[in-house]
Amino acid sequence: MSSSASGRRVSTLRSNLHTSADGRRFSLYAEDERSSSSHQNLRAHQSHRVHAGLDPNRASTGVIWVTEQASKHGYLDEPEKWANLGQGAPEVDHIEGCFERPDSIPISSAGREYGPTAGIKSLRAAVANLYNDDYRKGKDSQYTWENVCIVPGGRAGLIRIAAVLGNAYLGFFIPDYTAYNEMLSLFRNFVAIPSPLSAADGYHIHVDKIAEELARGTSVILTSNPRNPTGHALHPDELALIQDICRDRATLIFDEFYAGYSYSTDCDGSTISAATNVIDVDQDDVIIIDGLTKRFRLPGWRVAWIVGPKEFIKALGSSGSYLDGGTNVPFQEAAVSMLEPAKVKQEMQALQRHFKMKRDYVLKRLREIGFNAGDQAVPDSTFYIWLDLTTLDPPLAKGSAIDLSNGLSFFEALLQEKVMCVPGIFFDLNPAKRRDLFDSPCHHFVRISYGPKMEALKMGLDGIERVVKRARGELGQYDSAIHDEPADDGSQSPKTKSKGHGEQHN
């Protein structure tokens, strides 16, 4: 068809179209659904909105929602003035005893090319060597580079795993990592089944709980160990027993990103891993995911790994070609030297000493403020505290101006102090869509991170202390990090903020 004929055809078609009142839509029909109340009633339903192909509800996970709310109070403009105790990342600057992180990375000619979607062989071999040295000394079956897949971050790794799982019931336990459900819900080749754990024993995964899952036909089990958000790890004997009863019955997927943050062995650098209890590295259906993100304090590098049977690892490598394209090659090359076993051991010792010091500081301050949760609340791993707000002693007087009994109210009160935490409901299975929020067993909890630097922790605990004092009526309404008391003429006048724990913050 000639260009002139094509132009005439387009002109004819356009002349037959009807334009909506706002000029956005063009139709062959003169009527517009916006003029019909019955049509508008249908469009008001979430499932029938104009952009039904997109689901905006997937855009707000816990940490994202927390950040969005804080940004309304100026967090994104001046993040350095905030105590972000909601962050799921450790401090990244130098810690005494830890090896120096590189300020620049050389880029080889290979680093300019596409890398293999399973990762470069040298890094895969370094990971296998580290696991053999830490967890498999004296065992006949040893990991090789073929048992390791390098992935661009933990979420990407979990998505690859989910993509290659067969038809199965997949069990996971709540409370747990807030993104599990969002990621798992993307796939239809298996059914994800959450199992709530009991608050009475600190949300512990008992062996009999695993046995129950197997009895009801669950053939894949996913869990973090150490656990996010509770800060506890399975005892090595219990972990071994769980693997024994699941062997040849279920695939076990262990998220071990917090394995380095262990405080139960005198900070000697020891770490716990399911790799210890594997009998045959190519036959035991045990999949382990970890990386540089948490225990090497390099979240921005997006370098993680999956360890498991060769056949499964091969499938994971292939899935990267259509899911994420693989991991940044120069960062992989730079990571190889970091994984020398003796170097890692020294790193873990320094890491554990430093974060145990911060953990003890935060717990001490919380007890002084009035939160008395008992021994079960003392985390033996991670850099999180799962704080039960109902343990505040003495309890707030009935009718207190500030409600601190649940995670959402506590979070909003902390925003006035430029402090962030994560409400506990985000570690439940999306309770907003299935029941009243007050019915969630996680509703009266918050997760407090001691991942940030000590200065931020001090600022954050001072803010928590002021919020509790204000709720008790010991401080004025405007004694906060954000609001000043209005002057008599209605304008804002500067006011010296109340001091928290002997310190003053503007």
mmCIF file of all heavy atoms in Angstrom, residues 28-48:
data_model
loop_
_atom_site.group_PDB
_atom_site.id
_atom_site.type_symbol
_atom_site.label_atom_id
_atom_site.label_comp_id
_atom_site.label_asym_id
_atom_site.label_seq_id
_atom_site.Cartn_x
_atom_site.Cartn_y
_atom_site.Cartn_z
ATOM 1 N N LEU A 28 -15.146 3.636 18.740
ATOM 2 C CA LEU A 28 -16.077 3.621 17.608
ATOM 3 C C LEU A 28 -17.482 3.998 18.050
ATOM 4 O O LEU A 28 -18.345 4.280 17.222
ATOM 5 C CB LEU A 28 -16.100 2.231 16.966
ATOM 6 C CG LEU A 28 -14.809 1.800 16.227
ATOM 7 C CD1 LEU A 28 -14.893 0.333 15.840
ATOM 8 C CD2 LEU A 28 -14.582 2.677 15.003
ATOM 9 N N TYR A 29 -17.717 3.977 19.365
ATOM 10 C CA TYR A 29 -19.069 4.194 19.881
ATOM 11 C C TYR A 29 -19.189 5.562 20.522
ATOM 12 O O TYR A 29 -18.265 6.048 21.194
ATOM 13 C CB TYR A 29 -19.427 3.106 20.886
ATOM 14 C CG TYR A 29 -19.290 1.714 20.291
ATOM 15 C CD1 TYR A 29 -18.155 0.950 20.534
ATOM 16 C CD2 TYR A 29 -20.280 1.210 19.454
ATOM 17 C CE1 TYR A 29 -18.009 -0.303 19.964
ATOM 18 C CE2 TYR A 29 -20.135 -0.049 18.884
ATOM 19 C CZ TYR A 29 -19.003 -0.805 19.133
ATOM 20 O OH TYR A 29 -18.859 -2.034 18.563
ATOM 21 N N ALA A 30 -20.314 6.185 20.333
ATOM 22 C CA ALA A 30 -20.537 7.532 20.868
ATOM 23 C C ALA A 30 -20.666 7.515 22.383
ATOM 24 O O ALA A 30 -20.296 8.481 23.060
ATOM 25 C CB ALA A 30 -21.795 8.136 20.241
ATOM 26 N N GLU A 31 -21.204 6.412 22.930
ATOM 27 C CA GLU A 31 -21.393 6.352 24.379
ATOM 28 C C GLU A 31 -20.059 6.097 25.086
ATOM 29 O O GLU A 31 -19.173 5.426 24.555
ATOM 30 C CB GLU A 31 -22.383 5.240 24.737
ATOM 31 C CG GLU A 31 -23.813 5.558 24.307
ATOM 32 C CD GLU A 31 -24.763 4.436 24.709
ATOM 33 O OE1 GLU A 31 -24.587 3.330 24.177
ATOM 34 O OE2 GLU A 31 -25.627 4.671 25.549
ATOM 35 N N ASP A 32 -19.951 6.621 26.299
ATOM 36 C CA ASP A 32 -18.740 6.474 27.115
ATOM 37 C C ASP A 32 -19.156 5.877 28.447
ATOM 38 O O ASP A 32 -20.135 6.323 29.058
ATOM 39 C CB ASP A 32 -18.086 7.846 27.324
ATOM 40 C CG ASP A 32 -16.723 7.735 27.977
ATOM 41 O OD1 ASP A 32 -16.666 7.136 29.060
ATOM 42 O OD2 ASP A 32 -15.742 8.246 27.412
ATOM 43 N N GLU A 33 -18.425 4.867 28.937
ATOM 44 C CA GLU A 33 -18.813 4.201 30.183
ATOM 45 C C GLU A 33 -18.835 5.156 31.372
ATOM 46 O O GLU A 33 -19.503 4.907 32.369
ATOM 47 C CB GLU A 33 -17.888 3.020 30.477
ATOM 48 C CG GLU A 33 -16.454 3.391 30.799
ATOM 49 C CD GLU A 33 -15.619 2.161 31.140
ATOM 50 O OE1 GLU A 33 -15.708 1.159 30.405
ATOM 51 O OE2 GLU A 33 -14.901 2.215 32.132
ATOM 52 N N ARG A 34 -18.110 6.287 31.255
ATOM 53 C CA ARG A 34 -18.091 7.227 32.368
ATOM 54 C C ARG A 34 -19.428 7.938 32.555
ATOM 55 O O ARG A 34 -19.669 8.545 33.594
ATOM 56 C CB ARG A 34 -16.981 8.263 32.159
ATOM 57 C CG ARG A 34 -15.600 7.639 32.089
ATOM 58 C CD ARG A 34 -14.520 8.675 32.053
ATOM 59 N NE ARG A 34 -13.217 8.053 31.835
ATOM 60 C CZ ARG A 34 -12.057 8.675 31.953
ATOM 61 N NH1 ARG A 34 -12.045 9.955 32.275
ATOM 62 N NH2 ARG A 34 -10.932 8.048 31.730
ATOM 63 N N SER A 35 -20.266 7.862 31.535
ATOM 64 C CA SER A 35 -21.583 8.485 31.647
ATOM 65 C C SER A 35 -22.606 7.543 32.267
ATOM 66 O O SER A 35 -23.754 7.926 32.483
ATOM 67 C CB SER A 35 -22.070 8.924 30.265
ATOM 68 O OG SER A 35 -22.246 7.788 29.415
ATOM 69 N N SER A 36 -22.193 6.308 32.565
ATOM 70 C CA SER A 36 -23.120 5.304 33.086
ATOM 71 C C SER A 36 -22.760 4.923 34.513
ATOM 72 O O SER A 36 -21.651 4.450 34.775
ATOM 73 C CB SER A 36 -23.084 4.057 32.193
ATOM 74 O OG SER A 36 -23.736 2.974 32.821
ATOM 75 N N SER A 37 -23.660 5.126 35.462
ATOM 76 C CA SER A 37 -23.402 4.806 36.867
ATOM 77 C C SER A 37 -23.220 3.306 37.070
ATOM 78 O O SER A 37 -22.426 2.873 37.914
ATOM 79 C CB SER A 37 -24.545 5.329 37.755
ATOM 80 O OG SER A 37 -25.776 4.735 37.367
ATOM 81 N N SER A 38 -23.939 2.489 36.308
ATOM 82 C CA SER A 38 -23.799 1.043 36.465
ATOM 83 C C SER A 38 -22.408 0.585 36.029
ATOM 84 O O SER A 38 -21.797 -0.299 36.631
ATOM 85 C CB SER A 38 -24.879 0.312 35.655
ATOM 86 O OG SER A 38 -24.799 0.648 34.293
ATOM 87 N N HIS A 39 -21.890 1.218 34.962
ATOM 88 C CA HIS A 39 -20.545 0.873 34.517
ATOM 89 C C HIS A 39 -19.494 1.361 35.519
ATOM 90 O O HIS A 39 -18.503 0.685 35.784
ATOM 91 C CB HIS A 39 -20.252 1.476 33.136
ATOM 92 C CG HIS A 39 -20.994 0.815 32.030
ATOM 93 N ND1 HIS A 39 -22.342 0.993 31.825
ATOM 94 C CD2 HIS A 39 -20.580 -0.067 31.074
ATOM 95 C CE1 HIS A 39 -22.733 0.290 30.782
ATOM 96 N NE2 HIS A 39 -21.680 -0.378 30.299
ATOM 97 N N GLN A 40 -19.730 2.545 36.082
ATOM 98 C CA GLN A 40 -18.796 3.074 37.073
ATOM 99 C C GLN A 40 -18.797 2.238 38.353
ATOM 100 O O GLN A 40 -17.765 2.086 39.009
ATOM 101 C CB GLN A 40 -19.151 4.523 37.409
ATOM 102 C CG GLN A 40 -18.850 5.506 36.295
ATOM 103 C CD GLN A 40 -17.382 5.481 35.897
ATOM 104 O OE1 GLN A 40 -16.518 5.833 36.690
ATOM 105 N NE2 GLN A 40 -17.113 5.043 34.675
ATOM 106 N N ASN A 41 -19.943 1.679 38.685
ATOM 107 C CA ASN A 41 -20.033 0.809 39.861
ATOM 108 C C ASN A 41 -19.161 -0.431 39.679
ATOM 109 O O ASN A 41 -18.470 -0.880 40.592
ATOM 110 C CB ASN A 41 -21.490 0.407 40.103
ATOM 111 C CG ASN A 41 -21.659 -0.415 41.362
ATOM 112 O OD1 ASN A 41 -21.163 -0.027 42.426
ATOM 113 N ND2 ASN A 41 -22.346 -1.530 41.259
ATOM 114 N N LEU A 42 -19.170 -0.990 38.455
ATOM 115 C CA LEU A 42 -18.319 -2.138 38.160
ATOM 116 C C LEU A 42 -16.842 -1.749 38.241
ATOM 117 O O LEU A 42 -16.019 -2.463 38.814
ATOM 118 C CB LEU A 42 -18.642 -2.680 36.769
ATOM 119 C CG LEU A 42 -17.740 -3.830 36.279
ATOM 120 C CD1 LEU A 42 -18.028 -5.098 37.088
ATOM 121 C CD2 LEU A 42 -17.957 -4.083 34.800
ATOM 122 N N ARG A 43 -16.503 -0.608 37.691
ATOM 123 C CA ARG A 43 -15.105 -0.161 37.671
ATOM 124 C C ARG A 43 -14.570 0.124 39.074
ATOM 125 O O ARG A 43 -13.365 0.103 39.301
ATOM 126 C CB ARG A 43 -14.973 1.101 36.820
ATOM 127 C CG ARG A 43 -15.066 0.862 35.328
ATOM 128 C CD ARG A 43 -13.924 0.022 34.823
ATOM 129 N NE ARG A 43 -13.847 0.008 33.359
ATOM 130 C CZ ARG A 43 -13.115 -0.843 32.693
ATOM 131 N NH1 ARG A 43 -12.410 -1.758 33.329
ATOM 132 N NH2 ARG A 43 -13.069 -0.805 31.378
ATOM 133 N N ALA A 44 -15.460 0.398 40.019
ATOM 134 C CA ALA A 44 -15.020 0.708 41.380
ATOM 135 C C ALA A 44 -14.425 -0.509 42.084
ATOM 136 O O ALA A 44 -13.680 -0.377 43.046
ATOM 137 C CB ALA A 44 -16.190 1.258 42.198
ATOM 138 N N HIS A 45 -14.757 -1.703 41.586
ATOM 139 C CA HIS A 45 -14.231 -2.927 42.189
ATOM 140 C C HIS A 45 -12.776 -3.116 41.786
ATOM 141 O O HIS A 45 -12.402 -2.870 40.637
ATOM 142 C CB HIS A 45 -15.067 -4.128 41.730
ATOM 143 C CG HIS A 45 -14.791 -5.384 42.503
ATOM 144 N ND1 HIS A 45 -13.703 -6.182 42.245
ATOM 145 C CD2 HIS A 45 -15.461 -5.969 43.522
ATOM 146 C CE1 HIS A 45 -13.709 -7.206 43.059
ATOM 147 N NE2 HIS A 45 -14.771 -7.104 43.859
ATOM 148 N N GLN A 46 -11.950 -3.559 42.739
ATOM 149 C CA GLN A 46 -10.511 -3.714 42.506
ATOM 150 C C GLN A 46 -10.215 -4.571 41.282
ATOM 151 O O GLN A 46 -9.287 -4.305 40.526
ATOM 152 C CB GLN A 46 -9.861 -4.338 43.744
ATOM 153 C CG GLN A 46 -8.363 -4.570 43.636
ATOM 154 C CD GLN A 46 -7.564 -3.286 43.639
ATOM 155 O OE1 GLN A 46 -7.930 -2.337 44.321
ATOM 156 N NE2 GLN A 46 -6.488 -3.242 42.866
ATOM 157 N N SER A 47 -11.015 -5.611 41.076
ATOM 158 C CA SER A 47 -10.736 -6.553 39.985
ATOM 159 C C SER A 47 -11.132 -6.019 38.616
ATOM 160 O O SER A 47 -10.799 -6.622 37.594
ATOM 161 C CB SER A 47 -11.470 -7.875 40.237
ATOM 162 O OG SER A 47 -11.060 -8.440 41.453
ATOM 163 N N HIS A 48 -11.868 -4.903 38.567
ATOM 164 C CA HIS A 48 -12.399 -4.425 37.294
ATOM 165 C C HIS A 48 -11.969 -2.995 36.993
ATOM 166 O O HIS A 48 -12.603 -2.321 36.190
ATOM 167 C CB HIS A 48 -13.930 -4.518 37.290
ATOM 168 C CG HIS A 48 -14.440 -5.913 37.441
ATOM 169 N ND1 HIS A 48 -14.398 -6.843 36.438
ATOM 170 C CD2 HIS A 48 -14.956 -6.556 38.521
ATOM 171 C CE1 HIS A 48 -14.891 -7.990 36.874
ATOM 172 N NE2 HIS A 48 -15.228 -7.852 38.131
#
